[in-house]
Amino acid sequence: MVKIAIYGKGGIGKSTTTANLSAALSKMGLKVMQIGCDPKSDSVKNLCNGEKITSVLDVLRSKKPEEVKLEDLVHTGYNGVLCVEAGGPTPGIGCAGRGIITAFEKLEELEAFEIHKPDVVLYDVLGDVVCGGFAMPIRNGYADHVFIVTSGEMMALYAANNIVSAIKNFGKRGYATYAGVILNSRNVENEVEVVQKALDEIGGEIVQIVPRDGTVQLAENQGKTVVEAYPDSDMAKVYTELARKVMEKCNV
């Protein structure tokens, strides 16, 4: 089982990228589980026909702990992708990071990985802050490899720098390793050069350039990934190539 965390600044296209990566990996014959680690709980929406699934924290709020079953938390999406949303606290009350910790602990308690036996687990993690909860995949042995989604925009690269710093801090303890960045293009002037210059300072390489393309929006308007809605499109080929490169970086 390969465990991969995808980090990035909020709004950078991280969930879109992760969902398309999950879909592409599933088309390669792999059993994939995607776990959304963002309080918005919209990571797997486009793997589930545009519908939001019930999050782990929502289930824990509505049922007694002993009544919660694994099937309440793990939903089956496009092409058999196993979909989970950690969820968030009641707005204005509680800590989102703590919510992720609670969700992970419940999945462990119910032996989600042992029962479903996925080949690949993808954690889709908000990267604006790398506090205890959001750093869980890096520091607690949940993820083996970390990829960062960024663009050439200053704040996206600032977040990437913070994430790399956190990975390096935890890496000294034998936790997840930094595998590189996925450039989700925003058509910033000289974008590739800007990102490469930043990487010269913070380390890592561009694993794949994902061009800005209207096909992505067309697919999302249907509540689908590009891989599902437009399997023969150039963008589907980009995500398929990304899946291949990610597996290569993870030595699979």
Side-chain angles (χ1 to χ4, degrees), residues 123-168:
Y123 298 95
D124 174 13
V125 195
L126 183 66
D128 291 80
V129 290
V130 196
C131 70
F134 292 104
M136 277 286 280
I138 299 175
R139 67 184 177 89
N140 275 41
Y142 287 100
D144 305 309
H145 310 277
V146 179
F147 292 84
I148 301 170
V149 178
T150 189
S151 68
E153 296 162 309
M154 183 179 67
M155 293 310 295
L157 290 169
Y158 179 76
N161 182 62
N162 286 341
I163 296 161
V164 172
S165 295
I167 296 166
K168 288 178 178 176

Side-chain angles (χ1 to χ4, degrees), residues 176-199:
T177 58
Y178 171 42
V181 304
I182 300 163
L183 171 50
N184 195 38
S185 302
R186 293 295 183 91
N187 293 339
V188 174
E189 188 175 356
N190 300 319
E191 191 160 24
V192 175
E193 290 81 1
V194 168
V195 173
Q196 189 56 63
K197 184 178 179 181
L199 294 180

